[in-house]
């Protein structure tokens, strides 16, 4: 008992003299110096003061250094302008399954004959940023900011007969409320007996919360929409 009291007294005196504690080191370099591993069973609080509790951050945040002599800060990936993938999907079927969408046959407007491209398999979705209607192919933005949208998709013309495949494919990533201010668009011409048309679109656009957008496709001959994929990333506010 006497030995334990002496050891405790020695440790207290050493702490008061140096204001530093070393674990497995006789020469601590900081207020607390651990020469070994550290296990946290619960939370890690940073910042605060001698009278105010620091913060443990929120789920998904990471610690970022603010330099020597300053407490680190919990930050989000978005605040550092990193790409955050919020939606990934693909299409592995052909629609319509039987028959074709009616092409414009060189007449009529794009909106009158264009069809929404619908992804039947959603691989990832972050509902804090975006919502997707698998019945209509319409995306709804949940968090305002800049989004990067990248798509690849296919027109299938196999059901068209002889002398009925030559034409023009037009594809648009567009806001529902503003079909003139396009996210991205492409239009390509194709000769007779073309059976597959491949398009790729990508664009970066700012969206307000509540805005909707979609991928629209049209061919001058009858067509079906085949395989495709899409990824949407949130960039920054």
């Amino acid at each position: 008992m006497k030995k334990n009291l002496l050891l405790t007294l020695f440790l207290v005196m050493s702490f008061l003299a140096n204001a530093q504690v070393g674990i497995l080191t006789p020469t601590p370099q900081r207020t607390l110096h651990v020469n070994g591993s550290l296990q946290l069973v619960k939370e890690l609080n940073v910042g605060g003061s001698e009278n105010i509790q620091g913060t443990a951050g929120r789920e998904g945040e990471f610690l970022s250094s603010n330099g020597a002599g300053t407490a680190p800060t919990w930050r989000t990936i978005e605040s550092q302008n990193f790409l955050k993938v919020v939606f990934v999907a693909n299409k592995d079927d052909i629609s319509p399954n039987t028959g074709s969408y009616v092409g414009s046959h060189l007449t009529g407007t794009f909106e009158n004959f264009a069809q929404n491209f619908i992804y039947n398999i959603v691989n990832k979705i972050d509902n804090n940023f975006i919502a997707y209607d698998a019945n209509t192919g319409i995306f709804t933005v949940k968090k305002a900011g800049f989004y990067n949208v990248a798509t690849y998709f296919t027109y299938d013309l196999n059901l068209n007969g002889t002398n009925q495949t030559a034409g023009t494919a037009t594809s648009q990533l567009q806001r529902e409320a503003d079909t003139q201010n396009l996210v991205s668009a492409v239009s390509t011409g194709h000769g007779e007996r073309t059976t597959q048309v491949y398009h790729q679109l990508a664009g970066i656009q700012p969206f307000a919360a509540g805005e909707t957008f979609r991928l629209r496709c049209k061919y001058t001959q009858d067509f079906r929409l085949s395989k495709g994929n899409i990824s949407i990333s949130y960039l920054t506010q």
Side-chain angles (χ1 to χ4, degrees):
M1 180 69 177
K2 185 177 181 180
K3 290 182 178 180
N4 290 337
L5 289 174
L6 289 174
L7 178 60
T8 301
L9 180 61
F10 173 77
L11 290 173
V12 170
M13 292 178 64
S14 176
F15 176 76
L16 292 175
N18 298 295
Q20 293 176 325
V21 175
I23 299 177
L24 296 182
T25 175
T27 56
Q29 302 300 305
R30 291 290 184 269
T31 305
L32 175 62
H33 186 163
V34 180
N35 181 20
S37 58
L38 176 66
Q39 177 175 326
L40 289 176
V41 177
K42 293 187 178 179
E43 64 189 43
L44 171 65
N45 291 269
V46 298
S49 68
E50 59 184 60
N51 299 315
I52 300 175
Q53 179 177 298
T55 175
R58 294 177 295 180
E59 183 178 357
E61 292 182 328
F62 65 92
L63 273 181
S64 175
S65 174
N66 290 314
T70 305
T73 305
W74 295 105
R75 302 184 191 277
T76 63
I77 290 178
E78 302 81 55
S79 69
Q80 304 307 297
N81 293 332
F82 295 148
L83 276 174
K84 179 179 177 61
V85 178
V86 298
F87 186 84
V88 177
N90 64 286
K91 177 181 176 67
D92 66 356
D93 62 358
I94 296 179
S95 56
N97 293 324
T98 59
S100 300
Y101 294 122
V102 176
S104 64
H105 298 277
L106 301 179
T107 63
T109 66
F110 175 85
E111 290 300 327
N112 287 340
F113 289 92
Q115 299 292 332
N116 290 2
F117 196 93
I118 298 176
Y119 302 91
N120 64 308
I121 300 174
V122 175
N123 308 106
K124 175 182 179 178
I125 183 169
D126 189 329
N127 291 294
N128 294 315
F129 292 83
I130 205 142
Y132 180 64
D133 188 331
N135 294 313
T136 63
I138 294 175
F139 296 92
T140 302
V141 174
K142 305 295 282 297
K143 180 176 181 178
F146 284 83
Y147 287 80
N148 179 31
V149 185
T151 68
Y152 174 81
F153 50 97
T154 310
Y155 291 80
D156 184 286
L157 310 175
N158 280 291
L159 295 185
N160 289 317
T162 304
N163 299 323
Q164 294 179 8
T165 57
T168 302
T170 303
S171 308
Q172 296 182 357
L173 274 169
Q174 57 175 225
R175 287 177 169 87
E176 270 200 295
D178 185 1
T179 58
Q180 302 303 310
N181 184 20
L182 301 176
V183 180
S184 186
V186 64
S187 184
T188 57
H190 303 274
E192 180 55 34
R193 296 323 306 152
T194 299
T195 57
Q196 302 282 337
V197 174
Y198 307 99
H199 274 183
Q200 188 169 355
L201 293 174
I204 297 175
Q205 282 284 318
F207 288 99
E211 278 196 284
T212 57
F213 65 93
R214 56 191 174 174
L215 170 60
R216 299 275 278 164
C217 304
K218 185 207 74 162
Y219 196 73
T220 48
Q221 306 287 358
D222 294 350
F223 65 98
R224 296 188 295 175
L225 295 173
S226 185
K227 295 182 179 181
N229 55 66
I230 187 172
S231 68
I232 302 175
S233 300
Y234 181 82
L235 302 180
T236 184
Q237 286 188 316

